[in-house]
Amino acid sequence: MDKRLIEILEELQPEVDYYTCTELIDGHYLDSLTILSLIAEIEDEYDITVPTVEIIPQNFNSAKSIWEMIERLKEE
Amino acid sequence: MLTLNTFFRLFFLLGILPCVIVLYGIVPQKARRWVLLLSSYFVFWAFSGKLIVYLLFSTLSVHHFGLWLSGIQMEEQQLLSGLSKDEKKSVKKRSKNKQYAVIFLAVVIHIGLLLILKYSAFFATNINTLLGVMGSDYSLEVPKYILPIGISFYTLQAVSYIVDVYRKKIQADTNLLRLAMFMSFFPQILEGPICRYSDTADTLWQAPKLKYENFLLGLQRIVFGIFKKLVIADRLNLFIQNVFNDYRQYDGFIITVGVALYTLQLYAEFSGTMDLVIGSGQIFGITLPENFKRPFFSSSISEFWKRWHITLGAWFKDYIFYPLSMSGPLKKLTAKSRKKLGNHFGPLISGSIALFCVWLCNGLWHGPAWHYIFFGMYHFAFILLGNIFDPYFSRLAAFCRINRRALPYRCFQIVRTTVLVCIGELFFRSNGLKAGMIMFKKMITEFSLKSLADGTVFKLGIDAYDLIIVLISTGILFFVGLLQENGVSIRDGIMKKNIVARFAIYYAVIAFIVVFGAYGINYLPVDPMYANF
């Protein structure tokens, strides 16, 4: 997994272990506004556009799933 | 036509649901879906009469718009083959514009119909008031429409279907009957939950065979719902009606008790009805989405709305909040404000604009009245304040060496959230914004325990006996919630017990409801509270 992604997540919400947490949305660690910040950050960092349809809990519940979404969007 | 008050008794106590189950169980597999569809239309007709045409129109309309969108998307795919990159871009842009136009038309028709039926009288009345204040003699005629049952729920389902087709999350359904079943499944007509096509349409169409295990699990859930409704919600109704209708006569203590009990009643009624609805679906093998996840264990208002009326919150998030905050202008605003204000406050500005729209819609969705709009703005304000101050609270907690995840702090957060929610529900239930303000003022300025000491509080529809039953029942609800919060599945536990123990538990719960349920001439059953929304 990309270290920069973990750094971004830690800047936004420091109280979480992003290597193990798999319920960032379901466990209420990231709220809607934090998701907006996160999307703005990853769009800048990885030069991608995150469409609204991708904003679902499955894509944001763990750092791993966020990274998988980024990789998928980079390919498109 | 039937009244809302009869819904509960007729369907779950007197037998329409059992009749549908028997019919569903004895007909051949291919006819099962027809039993569900015709039962659903029968229920709509029984409550709405000829207003069922609105449901039929909505179903035909979303079917047509779905196919229209799908046609444009297929045409785009055909045109793309063999084109250069620039040509592909141009084809995609043209297709997108066409799809936007279709979506716009569909949303205008469906939301427009809801606006006309539900809100035109409210807007006309307020415009007339404004004209009167400005000294004008002109006034608009205030229209009077009868609202078809469930329109606020199936309109949101209709819009979600069309947008999901546009987003290619689902394929447009060519089968009108499958779409009709998704739009009309009868247990959810009054109070939701608001379903997504991808969640329920296929299972409804398959119309699974009845299974003993599903039947028992569904029945368990229904009995729990009846417990919440009959033992808690109905028992409190007379007291709550007295307090909210004659609030001027009572002191702050009685109003505070009324507000707290109303919050409990609303939860017991709405979540109890959801138990009935989800349990009914489960009997047919259909999994409906959950609408409650122990909301009174929330540590903030924001978390509360992720646990209370979940399907409505999710709808607003998916179809208003994110599309707005991810739209071109707000994205640009986010980018600009992030540079100037940093990562926290930057996205907060555009997010707050989207959040404001969500809460305005949330307030209005509950009803065309200023106290509902106030209710929406009240929650918007607390969510916004929570977001603004969260980093400062984090730093303060770190400075004071307070562990924000420790149990005492969480208990403090839960109590604080519950108090704020209760105050919000005061305005939600009050007979108008002015009445809500007066009640709130009385809670602060006229609070005294005199009415408790002289026993006035026990003469308003509940006596000490009622209160003890409500307290015990609420204790049971709390205990069940606490176990669920800690990952214990009570229903699985019951299912694993042997048949004697299992049925002993079932009969004990049923006996508890029969003995302690509030029914008969001394009680006033509560109407399905979300049915008029």
Side-chain angles (χ1 to χ4, degrees), chain A residues 29 31 33 37 41 43 50, chain B residues 326 331 338 343 347 387 405:
Chain A
Y29 294 100
D31 61 17
L33 290 172
S37 308
E41 281 281 343
E43 284 192 341
V50 181
Chain B
M326 300 289 283
K331 253 186 162 178
R338 268 179 71 230
N343 270 341
N387 278 300
R405 299 228 167 237

Side-chain angles (χ1 to χ4, degrees), chain A residues 10 13-18 29, chain B residues 394 404-405:
Chain A
E10 280 172 348
Q13 172 59 276
E15 296 169 359
V16 187
D17 180 359
Y18 290 99
Y29 294 100
Chain B
S394 284
R404 292 176 87 195
R405 299 228 167 237

Side-chain angles (χ1 to χ4, degrees), chain B residues 4 38 92 94 134 139 173 193 231 251 253 269 275 294 336 357 365 373 388 411 435 461 498 513:
Chain B
L4 289 178
L38 293 175
K92 278 184 180 173
R94 274 206 306 275
M134 289 160 69
S139 69
D173 200 335
V231 182
D251 64 19
F253 174 74
E269 196 285 327
D275 290 329
R294 303 168 294 285
K336 270 188 189 172
C357 296
W365 183 87
I373 295 173
I388 291 171
C411 288
N498 65 50
I513 294 170

